[in-house]
Amino acid sequence: MTKNKIKDTIEFIGLSYKKEMTKVVLISALLLMVTLVLFLVTKNLIVPIIIGIGDLVLTYFLLSRYNDKKKSLLKNRENELISLISYFDVYIRNNNNVYQSFNLLIPYCSNWMKEKIEDLLTEIDKDKSVQPFVNFADQFTSISIHSLMLSIYQMVDQGENSEQLTHFNLLFDEISKTRNREMIEQKQKSLSNMSTFPLAGAGLITISLTISILSILGDLVNVI
């Protein structure tokens, strides 16, 4: 990732770019100092090389985790909205209009979602077009959310009649099924990744031992 992209990602998840970069630089600098000390003490390049590679891997991991947190945050927001829409559906069925139904969702929202829904309602007061719903949907990356918000707007534009409700319910049911399927797949992937960690660790240990043995044998040959 480029510097600007890393900065945008860190700030998106609510962290300080300066503080996070300071942590990464300090950790990397500490490992480099350890590498230098080991080389000066042992005069052997093998261990410093291993630590140096580990430093690069660790730095990559530290930087990539911000993007992982961003993806997780976006997914959590999407999941929250889908959960809230189930309440929205109940309110609509109980003869509340779209504006009232969104307003009734606010007590169940996270701070972020509450702010976005309040912004939506404020925009609806000023603009009766589809634009407020598009602006709200733009806060999410899923195309399904955009389709869902357009379906909700149609209920505003054409009324909460049976046809519009049926279209909305079919779309929402499909999105809910997709979300449940993704959650199952994500859980399976997480379990699969956990099973690969011991193998990766064993592989690194084997490589380290092999390099160390070759280094020892090389020293013995030189002595002989």
Side-chain angles (χ1 to χ4, degrees):
M1 293 189 293
T2 62
K3 178 180 178 180
N4 288 339
K5 188 174 181 180
I6 294 173
K7 182 179 180 181
D8 291 342
T9 300
I10 291 175
E11 292 178 348
F12 181 87
I13 60 178
L15 298 176
S16 168
Y17 174 75
K18 185 176 181 179
K19 289 182 180 180
E20 294 303 312
M21 285 299 97
T22 299
K23 292 178 185 177
V24 173
V25 171
L26 287 175
I27 292 173
S28 181
L30 179 61
L31 287 175
L32 287 175
M33 288 179 61
V34 171
T35 301
L36 179 60
V37 170
L38 286 174
F39 173 70
L40 293 176
V41 172
T42 65
K43 303 298 181 180
N44 189 325
L45 280 175
I46 300 300
V47 175
I49 288 175
I50 294 174
I51 296 178
I53 294 174
D55 184 16
L56 293 175
V57 172
L58 179 60
T59 301
Y60 174 79
F61 170 77
L62 290 174
L63 294 177
S64 63
R65 71 190 178 97
Y66 297 117
N67 194 48
D68 292 338
K69 286 185 177 182
K70 179 180 178 179
K71 290 179 180 179
S72 177
L73 180 60
L74 289 171
K75 180 56 67 175
N76 288 339
R77 289 174 178 176
E78 183 180 319
N79 289 337
E80 180 186 4
L81 178 62
I82 294 173
S83 297
L84 289 170
I85 293 298
S86 63
Y87 292 102
F88 176 88
D89 184 33
V90 173
Y91 297 141
I92 288 290
R93 291 178 182 275
N94 282 279
N95 300 318
N96 293 286
N97 61 34
V98 169
Y99 187 95
Q100 291 168 337
S101 297
F102 270 114
N103 197 39
L104 289 169
L105 293 178
I106 291 177
Y108 307 102
C109 296
S110 64
N111 291 333
W112 183 87
M113 190 67 71
K114 177 183 178 182
E115 179 184 341
K116 299 308 174 185
I117 290 180
E118 287 176 342
D119 289 343
L120 170 64
L121 295 176
T122 300
E123 288 186 38
I124 291 175
D125 286 332
K126 300 176 181 179
D127 185 354
K128 304 304 179 185
S129 72
V130 70
Q131 194 58 46
F133 296 86
V134 173
N135 293 341
F136 181 82
D138 285 342
Q139 305 298 321
F140 305 88
T141 57
S142 173
I143 296 177
S144 299
I145 298 299
H146 285 74
S147 300
L148 188 64
M149 293 308 298
L150 290 177
S151 177
I152 292 174
Y153 169 72
Q154 289 176 346
M155 287 193 282
V156 174
D157 188 45
Q158 302 176 22
E160 296 88 359
N161 54 54
S162 58
E163 182 179 351
Q164 293 305 324
L165 280 173
T166 299
H167 179 266
F168 165 76
N169 287 327
L170 289 173
L171 182 58
F172 178 61
D173 287 344
E174 185 61 32
I175 292 175
S176 297
K177 289 178 182 178
T178 300
R179 184 191 68 156
N180 291 335
R181 185 165 58 249
E182 288 177 348
M183 291 179 68
I184 292 174
E185 291 174 353
Q186 184 178 3
K187 186 66 175 180
Q188 292 175 339
K189 183 179 180 180
S190 177
L191 293 174
S192 177
N193 289 338
M194 288 179 64
S195 66
T196 62
F197 290 153
L199 294 176
L204 289 174
I205 292 174
T206 301
I207 293 173
S208 299
L209 288 175
T210 301
I211 294 175
S212 299
I213 291 172
L214 290 175
S215 177
I216 294 171
L217 290 175
D219 293 339
L220 289 175
V221 170
N222 291 333
V223 172
I224 295 174

